[in-house]
Amino acid sequence: MFESVIPVAVGARMRVAAQNLLDALDEQQQALVGGSMDDAGFREWMYLPGERPGLRIDDLTDAQRELVYALLATGMSPSGFETARAIMQLEIPLKAHELSIDHPSWRTRDPLHYYVRILGDPRTDRVWAWRFNGHHLAAHFTMADDVVTGTPQMFGANPRVFTAPDGTVLRTLGSEGDLGIGLATDLSAGQFRQAQIAEEAPWDIASRDDPVVELDLSDRGIRYDELGPAQRGVVDAIVRLHLARCTEPVMARALEEIESAGRDAIRFAWAGPGASIDDTTLIYYSVSGPTFLLEYDRTNGNPNHVHSVWRDLRHDWGSDLLAEHYRAVLQERP
């Protein structure tokens, strides 16, 4: 199934980029970056600031750091890679803001306080994985025989709207918010009652940083087939916007599975008010289906603070991919 959709070239490029990085590291750095696929923490992740297993990129030379970015670029689309780098740079204005109000968290803000980790050996192993993690950015890729999966994936922003010193206004993850708000405010009164799951936005995304999504999504919000044609087009745009952060073949496989499961099973859920939404309003929405969950929030008590996540209900951590690989290995044995 996977081989017919995901070109081997994607996994091969990742393998070469990971090898190039490993070859540029000294023995101590290789010990920090490396890990086993049997690691108990393989499915552990978070998007808060703080320490993580792996090699922190501010401990690298400029040349080594560029090799980390080259690896990240193999898993991201050009626009996804650009957004990821923009999220990292938001640590600078966030630090300045928190320092100005004497908030103790300013000490943790650093655009290079991000970690890379490689599980398994891309030079020899048929199964291996890598991840890039830090505050508001989490990208996880798993390979089996050079076939790739790319979730969980988390992009966040604080501040989501920021005026740069040159006067440029930056809106990181702005389209994600615009589309969700536009759809919620376009719903009829009856449609909105079906979509609204709470009058107030939750404190955070519902799936949090749980290793496995265990939410009941079967009756969460309004169904795709209960929306008008233009409204369904907005749902499609939200799905593509989130998935398009990944390299195109990974996105294509996910879209194919969404289509196969049936678009009419997709649901849009909203938490927050249905009118008078402005930049101070706390909001949350999700788009989900049998194979996926997308979440977006402007919460944490701060409407200038955004979280967004893509969870693949079949392929997070390459679960189905790894199971298929090991079944094939058992069949190959005499």
Side-chain angles (χ1 to χ4, degrees):
M1 161 181 171
F2 294 103
E3 288 81 0
S4 65
V5 180
I6 303 294
V8 171
V10 176
R13 288 198 299 272
M14 286 186 178
R15 187 181 291 274
V16 170
Q19 290 172 352
N20 289 341
L21 172 60
L22 290 172
D23 290 344
L25 302 178
D26 62 32
E27 187 173 330
Q28 182 178 9
Q29 290 171 323
Q30 289 193 18
L32 286 171
V33 81
S36 166
M37 288 293 291
D38 296 327
D39 191 318
F42 174 52
R43 289 177 171 81
E44 291 180 0
W45 68 294
M46 69 174 186
Y47 44 83
L48 302 175
E51 303 300 317
R52 289 155 170 76
L55 181 61
R56 213 165 99 170
I57 66 171
D58 59 352
D59 292 330
L60 301 177
T61 66
D62 290 345
Q64 290 172 327
R65 200 174 300 123
E66 287 303 315
L67 292 173
V68 174
Y69 296 148
L71 176 59
L72 182 60
T74 65
M76 297 278 121
S77 66
S79 62
F81 180 76
E82 182 179 344
T83 302
R85 294 298 306 274
I87 288 168
M88 295 168 67
Q89 291 303 309
L90 288 177
E91 294 293 285
I92 297 173
L94 180 57
K95 180 175 184 175
H97 169 70
E98 291 182 337
L99 186 58
S100 72
I101 61 175
D102 197 28
H103 194 291
S105 292
W106 69 266
R107 295 178 178 84
T108 69
R109 312 305 185 187
D110 186 334
L112 296 180
H113 196 157
Y114 289 81
Y115 294 77
V116 60
R117 195 168 191 218
I118 299 174
L119 303 171
D121 190 340
R123 293 167 293 204
T124 59
D125 295 347
R126 292 171 62 183
V127 172
W128 63 286
W130 64 275
R131 59 179 59 191
F132 188 85
N133 295 106
H135 184 217
H136 280 163
L137 185 57
H140 304 90
F141 296 90
T142 306
M143 267 66 56
D145 301 310
D146 284 342
V147 182
V148 185
T149 65
T151 55
Q153 182 196 101
M154 193 278 178
F155 278 25
N158 186 12
R160 67 176 178 86
V161 180
F162 166 64
T163 302
D166 64 359
T168 303
V169 178
L170 304 175
R171 297 179 71 245
T172 306
L173 305 177
S175 295
E176 288 83 343
D178 293 345
L179 287 168
I181 292 170
L183 178 55
T185 54
D186 186 57
L187 298 175
S188 69
Q191 288 176 319
F192 186 78
R193 284 193 295 271
Q194 292 175 273
Q196 190 183 42
I197 57 175
E199 294 182 357
E200 294 185 0
W203 182 252
D204 201 352
I205 54 176
S207 59
R208 300 170 300 189
D209 53 6
D210 295 345
V212 178
V213 176
E214 295 182 340
L215 299 174
D216 182 2
L217 303 172
S218 60
D219 193 30
R220 198 172 197 261
I222 186 170
R223 282 175 57 101
Y224 187 91
D225 58 2
E226 296 170 322
L227 299 172
Q231 295 167 335
R232 292 195 294 269
V234 176
V235 171
D236 293 343
I238 290 172
V239 171
R240 284 189 170 274
L241 183 62
H242 282 77
L243 273 55
R245 297 169 185 162
C246 261
T247 184
E248 195 277 336
V250 174
M251 177 189 73
R253 199 236 13 248
L255 289 174
E256 181 179 285
E257 294 196 349
I258 290 171
E259 196 74 39
S260 296
R263 289 194 191 188
D264 286 348
I266 295 174
R267 290 179 175 272
F268 173 76
W270 176 266
S276 302
I277 300 172
D278 58 27
D279 274 353
T280 67
T281 309
L282 301 178
I283 62 167
Y284 164 94
Y285 74 80
S286 70
V287 176
S288 62
T291 65
F292 74 102
L293 168 66
L294 307 176
E295 294 188 272
Y296 170 96
D297 72 35
R298 251 169 46 184
T299 55
N300 281 144
N302 176 6
N304 206 26
H305 185 168
V306 167
H307 291 165
S308 69
V309 67
W310 169 23
R311 302 297 299 264
D312 190 313
L313 305 180
R314 297 178 179 176
H315 306 305
D316 270 2
W317 315 107
S319 297
D320 279 17
L321 179 64
L322 295 180
E324 179 66 26
H325 168 81
Y326 291 122
R327 280 195 296 268
V329 169
L330 288 174
Q331 291 173 359
E332 291 172 1
R333 293 179 178 174

